[in-house]
């Protein structure tokens, strides 16, 4: 079982500021509000604001310029690389991709997915589950969930590989537009079915990447749970030293 803990206040503030950089509220080259302004706007203490700004500077979103304040640098290249997992989940062509469609059907929404989609715990969602394979070896198990109302009039509920990606299908059929993706990574032991599909020995954990794809208003259109065998992953991160 995976447990989610609410991030501390400075991380939540950093995430809010990051979203404002991504949506253009704070454009590259512009100054972000001062510490005093952020304290007043968000009702947080100065140490919390300072930690949030330092986190964004460390990760390359902001930089300090003497005599000018804190400047927006824009979207760091390393973030573009991190988003690749989410992009693959949204843009995989099931009919052309390496792997096979495992299951399609309406299921009770998992708790983590319900939270991301803003649905009650007992709601039903449509699930499409795809096993990604490379050289005959299972490397990812991708379970994608869609609000029931969003899939009406689409072919997402058909138990056959889609021609094109789920993103293309929804944008064409439902006239929605995917705008941004958030990824949440956690580690846990696999469920029995997951271990069997991924051919995992007993005791080997998995990484779960919860990919939440939203429109510009922040409404979640699709949530994909990407399960990766932890013993086959090598994660690398890069950040700037101020």
């Amino acid at each position: 079982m995976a447990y989610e803990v609410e991030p501390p206040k400075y991380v939540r503030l950093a995430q809010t500021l990051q979203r404002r950089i991504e949506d253009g509220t704070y454009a590259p080259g512009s100054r972000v509000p001062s510490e005093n302004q952020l304290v007043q706007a968000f009702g947080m203490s100065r140490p919390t604001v300072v930690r949030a700004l330092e986190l964004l500077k460390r990760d390359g979103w902001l930089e300090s310029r003497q005599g000018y304040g804190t400047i927006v640098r824009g979207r760091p290249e390393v973030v573009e690389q991190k988003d690749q997992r989410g992009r693959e989940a949204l843009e995989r062509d099931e009919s052309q991709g390496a792997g096979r469609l495992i299951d399609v059907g309406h299921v009770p929404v998992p708790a983590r997915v319900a939270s991301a989609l803003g649905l009650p715990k007992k709601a039903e969602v449509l699930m499409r589950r795809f096993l990604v394979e490379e050289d005959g070896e299972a490397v990812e198990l991708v379970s994608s969930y869609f609000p029931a109302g969003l899939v009406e009039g689409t072919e997402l509920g058909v138990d056959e590989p889609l021609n094109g990606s789920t993103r293309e299908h929804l944008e064409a059929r439902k006239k929605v537009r995917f705008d941004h993706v958030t990824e949440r990574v956690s580690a846990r032991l696999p469920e029995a079915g997951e271990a069997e599909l991924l051919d995992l020995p007993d005791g080997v954990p998995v990484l779960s990447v919860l990919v939440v794809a939203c429109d510009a208003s922040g409404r979640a259109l699709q949530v994909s749970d990407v399960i990766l065998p932890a013993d086959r992953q090598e994660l690398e991160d890069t950040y700037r030293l101020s």
Side-chain angles (χ1 to χ4, degrees):
M1 178 180 294
Y3 296 91
E4 290 191 30
V5 179
E6 186 176 41
K9 287 184 179 179
Y10 78 93
V11 173
R12 300 203 300 273
L13 176 57
Q15 291 170 336
T16 298
L17 298 177
Q18 178 184 316
R19 286 194 293 271
R20 293 188 179 185
I21 295 171
E22 291 185 300
D23 68 18
T25 302
Y26 302 145
S30 66
R31 284 188 292 182
V32 297
S34 68
E35 291 177 8
N36 285 338
Q37 290 172 322
L38 291 172
V39 166
Q40 294 176 5
F42 291 96
M44 295 184 178
S45 68
R46 182 178 297 276
T48 296
V49 169
V50 170
R51 290 191 71 183
L53 294 175
E54 289 302 319
L55 181 60
L56 291 171
K57 291 174 188 176
R58 187 205 72 179
D59 289 345
W61 294 89
L62 303 175
E63 67 175 326
S64 294
R65 291 184 187 173
Q66 190 169 5
Y68 196 69
T70 301
I71 307 301
V72 176
R73 298 188 66 172
R75 187 177 176 85
E77 181 179 354
V78 67
V79 175
E80 298 286 357
Q81 296 169 354
K82 285 181 178 179
D83 280 352
Q84 189 63 31
R85 186 74 63 186
R87 185 178 296 277
E88 289 177 355
L90 294 176
E91 299 184 352
R92 176 175 290 108
D93 186 335
E94 294 177 348
S95 65
Q96 301 294 327
R100 52 196 170 96
L101 189 64
I102 298 296
D103 191 21
V104 178
H106 286 84
V107 299
V109 61
R112 297 177 71 209
V113 177
S115 175
L117 288 175
L119 295 175
K121 292 181 179 180
K122 295 184 179 180
E124 281 200 346
V125 291
L126 178 71
M127 180 193 71
R128 295 185 68 87
R129 178 166 287 171
F130 192 84
L131 184 66
V132 182
E133 298 172 321
E134 292 181 1
D135 299 323
E137 180 183 35
V139 294
E140 292 181 24
L141 180 61
V142 184
S143 300
S144 296
Y145 301 90
F146 308 87
L150 186 63
V151 300
E152 294 178 1
T154 75
E155 296 177 4
L156 291 177
V158 177
D159 191 9
E160 294 180 1
L162 281 178
N163 290 316
S165 67
T166 55
R167 174 184 177 178
E168 292 171 339
H169 195 73
L170 282 172
E171 288 187 336
R173 295 295 183 91
K174 304 299 288 188
K175 307 305 179 185
V176 296
R177 182 172 179 80
F178 287 73
D179 180 77
H180 60 276
V181 168
T182 300
E183 297 184 8
R184 306 171 188 170
V185 182
S186 60
R188 60 175 173 82
L189 289 175
E191 298 174 1
E194 295 169 343
E196 181 179 356
L197 287 168
L198 291 169
D199 194 24
L200 295 177
D202 291 343
V204 173
V206 293
L207 295 179
S208 169
V209 183
L210 196 70
V211 180
V212 184
C214 303
D215 62 14
S217 71
R219 177 178 63 134
L221 303 173
Q222 173 178 337
V223 175
S224 295
D225 193 8
V226 183
I227 304 299
L228 307 157
D231 63 340
R232 304 171 203 167
Q233 305 304 313
E234 181 176 343
L235 303 180
E236 180 176 335
D237 195 4
T238 302
Y239 59 87
R240 297 179 178 88
L241 297 174
S242 56

